[in-house]
Amino acid sequence: MGSKAIDPQAIRNVTIIGDPGATQRVIERLSHAAGLPASPPDVIHWAAARVDHTIRFTQLAADAPIATLERSIRVANSVIAVVHATAPHAPRLETILRVADDHQVARLCLITALDHPGADFAHCVHTIADTRGAVPLPLQIPLGAGAAFEGSIDLLSMWALGPLAADIYGPHWALAEASYADLVKTVMQQNTPDATAYHALRDIPLEQLHQRIRSLTRIGDIVPILCGATPLSDDTVPLLDAIVRYLPSPLDVCQPEHALDY
């Protein structure tokens, strides 16, 4: 029986960087979301938009020697930086983002441990913003922090809830609307309606926003940011969707060091 051919455009080669325990937990959760056994695999298959994708993971410790980090990031197709929400200083995160920017490597950031005391999502975003290179683009915002962390609001899909959204998210809704307006302004750049015209912003087709985020992520102009799941929900579907939607395939990667491996 022959093996099934894989479309190179449906491949995502991802280097996930962070504390080894944190990166291992992220991959375990991703494999669980994909319906795989508890033992974390190196390859996950994920369907999105009626396309079957193959996601290949490589783990890299954030405290590896700088030379190792630079070499590994330089030849990566794409990077996910796993950020601990309570870290007051993140010099290694800055190094990861700087090296990725130097070599135009597409990257996402996943902010974890939002349920821990002292978790500060805004501080993590500011750290990314202060690093030379791409503009941080939160695709989600947390519902509370520390012991009050209840999950996250997905800014792109929240309008699907219709008029109920404001009631569901309660005191978080005003921030969600403002965050969505900032997202659209960043992604659409000059082609943006009045930032206060939320109804006009909602009329922008979702697929158009996805395409713009993918394009800007691929060329290194933005860093999409997602929230880690709560320990109880373990919902990592948004991260899997973001990987296949926004990170490049091997055919999209144009650095000469990159190998087309499929």
Side-chain angles (χ1 to χ4, degrees):
M1 182 175 181
S3 60
K4 181 180 178 181
I6 300 176
D7 179 1
Q9 288 286 8
I11 294 173
R12 301 293 182 269
N13 295 322
V14 180
T15 299
I16 182 167
I17 309 176
D19 174 79
T23 61
Q24 186 79 354
R25 285 190 294 274
V26 169
I27 293 179
E28 287 174 352
R29 289 182 169 191
L30 291 175
S31 64
H32 176 73
L36 298 175
S39 177
D42 296 326
V43 177
I44 289 175
H45 299 281
W46 186 249
R50 298 186 295 277
V51 176
D52 291 329
H53 293 81
T54 299
I55 307 172
R56 296 172 175 165
F57 289 101
T58 300
Q59 296 184 63
L60 180 62
D63 60 358
I66 295 297
T68 300
L69 281 175
E70 292 190 351
R71 182 172 61 253
S72 299
I73 294 171
R74 176 171 57 85
V75 299
N77 283 189
S78 58
V79 164
I80 297 178
V82 180
V83 184
H84 200 286
T86 66
H89 304 289
R92 282 307 177 100
L93 171 62
E94 296 172 9
T95 298
I96 292 164
L97 296 177
R98 174 183 57 77
V99 173
D101 184 67
D102 286 344
H103 297 283
Q104 294 183 303
V105 177
R107 57 271 197 203
L108 300 176
C109 282
L110 177 68
I111 300 179
T112 62
L114 286 161
D115 59 320
H116 289 205
D120 191 336
F121 180 81
H123 173 75
C124 294
V125 174
H126 290 153
T127 298
I128 298 167
D130 290 343
T131 303
R132 173 179 57 83
V135 174
L137 185 76
L139 302 181
Q140 299 176 320
I141 59 173
L143 283 166
F149 178 55
E150 299 176 356
S152 58
I153 301 176
D154 190 290
L155 299 176
L156 291 171
S157 64
M158 66 183 187
W159 302 110
L161 297 171
L164 294 175
D167 293 333
I168 292 172
Y169 294 124
H172 302 284
W173 181 242
L175 177 59
E177 282 191 310
S179 298
Y180 179 79
D182 289 341
L183 182 156
V184 173
K185 284 195 295 182
T186 300
V187 169
M188 302 304 292
Q189 297 173 333
Q190 301 302 317
N191 303 318
T192 308
D194 183 346
T196 61
Y198 293 114
H199 291 289
L201 293 175
R202 284 190 320 199
D203 290 340
I204 298 174
L206 184 58
E207 186 56 36
Q208 184 179 357
L209 291 176
H210 286 321
Q211 291 174 355
R212 287 291 297 165
I213 294 170
R214 175 174 170 78
S215 175
L216 294 171
T217 301
R218 175 183 165 185
I219 63 177
D221 281 1
I222 63 172
V223 179
I225 299 173
L226 293 97
C227 300
T230 65
L232 293 179
S233 73
D234 206 23
D235 182 12
T236 51
V237 168
L239 178 57
L240 285 165
D241 285 342
I243 289 170
V244 300
R245 279 178 181 150
Y246 309 131
L247 294 182
S249 76
L251 295 182
D252 296 325
V253 178
C254 57
Q255 287 90 330
E257 306 97 319
H258 291 212
L260 177 58
D261 176 22
Y262 61 89

